[in-house]
Amino acid sequence: MDIAPIIDKLNTGLFIGGQWRDAEGGKTVDVLNPATGDLVTTVADGSAADAEEAIKVAGDTQASWAATPPRERAEILRRAFELLIDRADDIAAVMTAEMGKPFAESKGEVAYGAEFFRWFSEEAVRVGGDYTQSTDGKTRVMVSREPVGPCVLVTPWNFPLAMGTRKIGPAIAAGCTMVFKPAKLTPLTSLMLVDVLVEAGLPAGVLNVVTSGSARRVVTPWMESGIARKLSFTGSTEVGVGLLKQAADNVMNTSMELGGNAPFVVCEDADVDKAVAGAVQAKMRNSGEACTSANRLFVHSSIAEEFSTKLTERIGSMTVGNGLEDGTEVGPLVDQDALDKVTSLVDDAVAKGAKILTGGSQIDGKGFFYSPTVMTDVPQDSEIRITEIFGPVAPIVTFDTDDEGMALANETEFGLVGYLFSENLERSLRLADQMQVGMVGLNTGLVSNPAAPFGGVKKSGLGREGGKVGIEEFLEIKYVALPRT
């Protein structure tokens, strides 16, 4: 697939106050294709001064945007949804070129990401309030919801469209202006999203985008500005904790979707074929580079051999290659650091006694490819048991009782998502209640859904994105007391 004509038409500058422009000093940063290591293009490398200008514009625009009728905001989102669907092939091709996932998965992300715009277009006109009276009957109690104010949005590289729409959608619906920092590894998809929103009629100054090779250089001025009132961040727990400390200085509203270490529990009464299909879906989506990826597979000892054999057959037969080539099922990891991390985790587990059933090594040649891997007998002291892998590696551990399975599932400081396979409804619901996570997939390897609240507990984050509660993260409650006469 030749993406050069699409790349040639891209706006690759900063987008501030409704205008595309160069970064301060004309600096740029390279965007590479992880399947080949080749240069895709360059984008503006924003400075602290660029960031300061962007947040000032967002602050200046907030009042007028908040006064925009909800229906008008809704129609902008609806038009943007339709444009994303119309341009799915081009956006997916660029996404694959900069991030590596197979083209079919990229198209799936466009459909998924676009749905957040449709969902929040419908929520924009349903922001409500309340009207009651005080207990003594002397005061009318009027409660309304209003935009929280200018928002700082920071997204990761692994889902470059959906992570943007999941934040931008509710912010627009609620009436908030934004400053947006896309991931430095995958900025192009986000810039295509900006073009879509402009064409859909988003007014100048509502969304301001600063790409940069340094997130700290851009985000710190926003956090310290005193203008931003909300931070929505998706990324590592380590970075999230640092941002929470910065947010405290200005008592900013925050929502955070942070690291994961998802357990995938297969009970003795599970449908093994269904569990294997779910494991492939939960583990291999995005080459395992997802916060929702099944990180630790716990399988009842009575079915472990059958499950491991079938999973090995399926994962071992997957086609690895450039995501822009037909038939590719597993793309590259995003960069050399990601490849080195996965290699180190697997090597450590093997050195401590883990057994490789398939894969277990880097793939020679261009790009950052790691072979789809299944391993068993993974010792408790292996780093892979406690670290988010972010790669196509499925470590299997056995258990003998439900209590043991739940103890293994919960022995982590993270709590984003868990997966549970059982054909017994009572057991499924009981164990789902015991899982210390924000989301549970029962007999499914896919939990992400724009109509559902996405988020975790413990060190996996704060707040929820999507669903009916998603817009609440961008609203404040105001109470007006009116004496009865």
Side-chain angles (χ1 to χ4, degrees):
M1 182 183 297
D2 182 15
I3 66 165
I6 306 171
I7 298 296
D8 289 343
K9 293 187 294 185
L10 289 184
N11 287 306
T12 57
L14 309 180
F15 186 73
I16 300 175
Q19 300 293 319
W20 293 99
R21 67 167 183 78
D22 292 339
E24 182 183 37
K27 293 182 179 180
T28 61
V29 60
D30 293 343
V31 180
L32 303 180
N33 184 332
T36 63
D38 296 337
L39 179 70
V40 178
T41 189
T42 61
V43 299
D45 188 7
S47 68
D50 294 324
E52 290 165 1
E53 180 183 353
I55 191 63
K56 183 178 185 304
V57 169
D60 292 344
T61 310
Q62 178 58 49
S64 61
W65 176 239
T68 304
R71 177 61 68 190
E72 185 174 330
R73 300 197 296 267
E75 290 301 322
I76 290 170
L77 286 171
R78 180 70 188 203
R79 288 192 294 270
F81 160 76
E82 292 168 351
L83 287 168
L84 285 173
I85 298 301
D86 288 344
R87 299 175 186 176
D89 283 351
D90 284 358
I91 295 171
V94 171
M95 188 188 305
T96 293
E98 67 174 345
M99 189 267 153
K101 69 180 69 180
F103 179 73
E105 286 195 27
S106 293
K107 281 199 70 172
E109 183 180 337
V110 175
Y112 168 61
E115 190 62 29
F116 283 105
F117 280 177
R118 178 158 65 171
W119 175 267
F120 285 110
S121 74
E122 296 161 347
E123 292 296 297
V125 295
R126 290 176 173 79
V127 176
D130 197 12
Y131 178 90
T132 58
Q133 61 177 324
S134 61
T135 54
D136 60 10
K138 296 180 181 180
T139 304
R140 294 179 173 88
V141 176
M142 295 185 293
V143 178
S144 61
R145 288 175 172 81
E146 58 186 32
V148 67
C151 301
V152 174
L153 310 180
V154 184
T155 57
W157 49 262
N158 55 340
F159 290 93
L161 183 80
M163 297 301 95
T165 58
R166 199 160 75 182
K167 300 177 188 300
I168 293 169
I172 289 176
C176 297
T177 59
M178 296 152 279
V179 286
F180 175 31
K181 167 63 177 67
K184 68 178 181 180
L185 295 174
T186 58
L188 303 179
T189 305
S190 298
L191 297 177
M192 294 181 82
L193 177 59
V194 175
D195 282 331
V196 163
L197 286 163
V198 171
E199 188 169 334
L202 190 69
V206 175
L207 175 64
N208 304 277
V209 183
V210 180
T211 54
S212 179
S214 168
R216 184 185 300 274
R217 184 198 308 150
V218 169
V219 176
T220 297
W222 291 345
M223 299 296 291
E224 295 177 347
S225 67
I227 298 172
R229 298 307 314 145
K230 163 78 181 181
L231 166 67
S232 180
F233 170 78
T234 299
S236 72
T237 297
E238 179 183 8
V239 174
V241 169
L243 288 171
L244 281 170
K245 292 176 180 178
Q246 286 184 297
D249 289 338
N250 284 310
V251 195
M252 288 174 61
N253 184 310
T254 61
S255 53
M256 300 240 163
E257 194 256 288
L258 306 176
N261 191 7
F264 187 99
V265 180
V266 185
C267 297
E268 60 187 313
D269 61 357
D271 180 318
V272 173
D273 290 334
K274 188 187 297 183
V276 168
V280 172
Q281 185 177 41
K283 176 73 262 183
M284 302 306 293
R285 181 187 181 204
N286 222 47
S287 301
E289 295 177 311
C291 55
T292 55
S293 179
N295 211 57
R296 300 167 297 141
L297 282 66
F298 301 118
V299 184
H300 194 275
S301 56
S302 65
I303 58 172
E305 184 175 355
E306 180 185 2
F307 177 89
S308 300
T309 298
K310 290 182 174 180
L311 183 65
T312 299
E313 290 173 353
R314 179 68 186 92
I315 286 181
S317 66
M318 298 184 81
T319 302
V320 181
N322 188 325
L324 292 173
E325 296 175 355
D326 292 341
T328 295
E329 296 177 280
V330 181
L333 298 180
V334 73
D335 62 9
Q336 186 64 52
D337 287 345
L339 182 60
D340 290 344
K341 175 186 175 183
V342 171
T343 301
S344 175
L345 289 173
V346 172
D347 290 350
D348 171 75
V350 170
K352 292 175 179 175
K355 178 183 177 183
I356 298 292
L357 300 185
T358 187
S361 62
Q362 297 183 19
I363 296 176
D364 293 336
K366 285 186 174 182
F368 310 114
F369 291 95
Y370 197 88
S371 56
T373 300
V374 178
M375 60 170 61
T376 58
D377 302 329
V378 182
Q380 187 171 6
D381 63 346
S382 298
E383 187 68 23
I384 206 166
R385 289 276 293 267
I386 61 174
T387 300
E388 190 172 20
I389 304 168
F390 250 58
V393 179
I396 298 174
V397 176
T398 61
F399 68 92
D400 292 313
T401 67
D402 286 353
D403 287 345
E404 183 186 358
M406 286 301 99
L408 289 168
N410 292 331
E411 62 171 8
T412 174
E413 61 187 359
F414 300 101
L416 184 61
V417 61
Y419 302 93
L420 178 66
F421 281 73
S422 168
E423 292 300 295
N424 181 287
L425 179 60
E426 187 281 329
R427 167 183 267 166
S428 296
L429 295 177
R430 173 170 52 83
L431 298 184
D433 286 344
Q434 293 178 22
M435 275 192 171
Q436 298 170 4
V437 295
M439 303 175 288
V440 178
L442 286 178
N443 293 321
T444 179
L446 180 66
V447 297
S448 301
N449 190 314
F454 188 103
V457 298
K458 299 195 284 188
K459 286 191 176 181
S460 285
L462 303 167
R464 294 296 183 269
E465 295 182 306
K468 293 182 179 180
V469 301
I471 197 170
E472 298 291 338
E473 298 285 347
F474 294 84
L475 296 167
E476 293 280 21
I477 293 175
K478 177 175 285 185
Y479 150 56
V480 175
L482 180 63
R484 297 174 64 91
T485 57

